[in-house]
Amino acid sequence: MAQAHLKIDLEALAANWRALDKLSADTVETGAVVKADGYGLGVARVARALADAGARQFYVAQAEEGVSLRDALGEGPEIFVFSGHMAGDSDMLRDARLIPLLNSIEQMTRHFETLPGHAFGVQIDSGMNRLGLEPAEWAAARGIVIPQGPRMVMSHLACADEPDDAMNARQLAAFREMTQGLDTTLSLSATGGILLGADYHFDATRPGIGLYGGLPFADAQPVAYLNAPVIQIRDVAAGETVGYGAAWLADQAARVATVQAGYADGLIRAMGDNAVVFADDTPCPLAGRVSMDMLTVDVTHLDTAPDTLQLLGAQQGIDDLADAAGTIGYEILTSLGARYRREYS
Ligand SMILES: *Cc1c(COP(=O)(O)O)cnc(C)c1O
C-alpha cells in the first residue's frame, strides 16, 4: 500500500482543550473553533472529542459548516457562525439552530426580518478591520440590538500571537470602551489572546490552533502524526542529480529514498530543501523539489533502509514544516490532503 498515514490523536486534542481551559478562570466558558473541517483534521471526530472533553460552545466560519457540525454534535452545544447571517442562510440557521455573529447593520436587518426571535450574537470591530461593526455603527445600533438579547458580543485580535505588540492593548481598550456597561457575554480571545492573560479572557474564549497542537500555544501536545511509505531507494553516484529541475546535486555517492506524499497532499512545494523528515529519531533532509505525489529524501547516513518516514509527529510539528515552507502551522494543517489514510485514536 502506497497511501500515507495521518493519525489524529484525539486524546491530545482533548488534553490541549483542557490545558487552554485551565488558563482562564472557572467562570470563563472555553469554546472550540472547528472551522475549515476542524482545521483540516475532520470536523465530526474532532468536535465530538472536544464536546466529550467539555466544550459547550463551538465556532465555524460559515453556515454550511454549522449544518454538518450540528449533525455531528446533536442538540446540546451552541454553534456560532463567524460570517454572520448572509443572504440565503436563514433556513440553515433556523433548521440547525446556529447562532450567527452579525457583522453589519445589513446583517442585523436581514436577521431580525427573516428570523425574528432567533438567537444571534454581534461581532464588533476593535481594530482589525476585517469583520464587525465599526465603533460609530455600534454606538448607533446598540440601543436597538441589546434589548433583543444577543447571546454574545465578540471581537477578534489581530496580533495576539505577538504578546509585545502594542496593538493588543489598543484593541483591549477599544473593546472595553465599546462594551462598557453591557450585561452580555463578552468574548475577545482566540488561542493567542488566552495566553495574553486574564485581562483578555472576559466571559468566553474561542481557541482554535492551540487545540490542534499549533503555535502560539507552545505547550500544546502534537495532534497530527504523518507517516509516508518509502516506495523505492536508489544509489546516486557523485555528480548525478535528483528530481525535477535536477535541483539536487549529489556531491558524493548518496542513497535517496522516494516517499509517497507530495504537494497534492499539502506538503507545500515551497518547503523544498529546507525541510527534513524523520527515520525514528534521525532527521533526513529532502533531496530536491517536492513533486505532486512524492518527496525524495537523502538517507545516505542511515544504517538501515527505512520502510516509512515521518513528516509530522513528536520530532517535528506543524510549525516546523511551516517554517521550512515560509508559512504558518494553520496553513500546513488546513492543507493536509484527502489522500491520506486517516486514523483517529
Ligand atoms: C479562526 C478564529 C478563531 C480561532 O483562532 P486561533 O488563532 O486558531 O485560536 C477565533 N475567533 C475568530 C473570529 C476566528 O476567525
Side-chain angles (χ1 to χ4, degrees), residues 265-344:
D265 305 294
L267 303 170
I268 296 172
R269 189 171 173 279
M271 70 188 188
D273 291 21
N274 301 323
V276 297
V277 301
F278 281 84
D280 298 321
D281 293 341
T282 309
C284 307
L286 295 200
R289 292 187 185 159
V290 177
S291 300
M292 184 185 291
D293 318 299
M294 282 167 273
L295 306 170
T296 39
V297 179
D298 183 357
V299 295
T300 314
H301 54 304
L302 299 183
D303 295 333
T304 49
D307 294 328
T308 63
L309 290 166
Q310 183 163 73
L311 288 96
L312 290 174
Q315 315 286 352
Q316 160 165 278
I318 53 175
D319 292 291
D320 299 305
L321 273 195
D323 281 347
T327 182
I328 52 176
Y330 298 72
E331 189 177 11
I332 297 293
L333 271 184
T334 56
S335 300
L336 292 173
R339 213 161 30 162
Y340 298 121
R341 182 165 66 85
R342 288 175 180 237
E343 180 193 332
Y344 294 86

Side-chain angles (χ1 to χ4, degrees), residues 33 35 39 59 82 101 123 130-131 154-156 188-192 206-212 215-216 330:
V33 180
K35 62 195 182 189
Y39 286 48
Y59 298 85
F82 288 137
L101 292 160
Q123 186 158 188
R130 189 178 66 170
L131 278 180
M154 52 82 60
S155 190
H156 194 48
L188 180 62
S189 287
T191 303
R206 314 182 306 271
I209 192 68
L211 305 174
Y212 307 97
L215 290 175
Y330 298 72

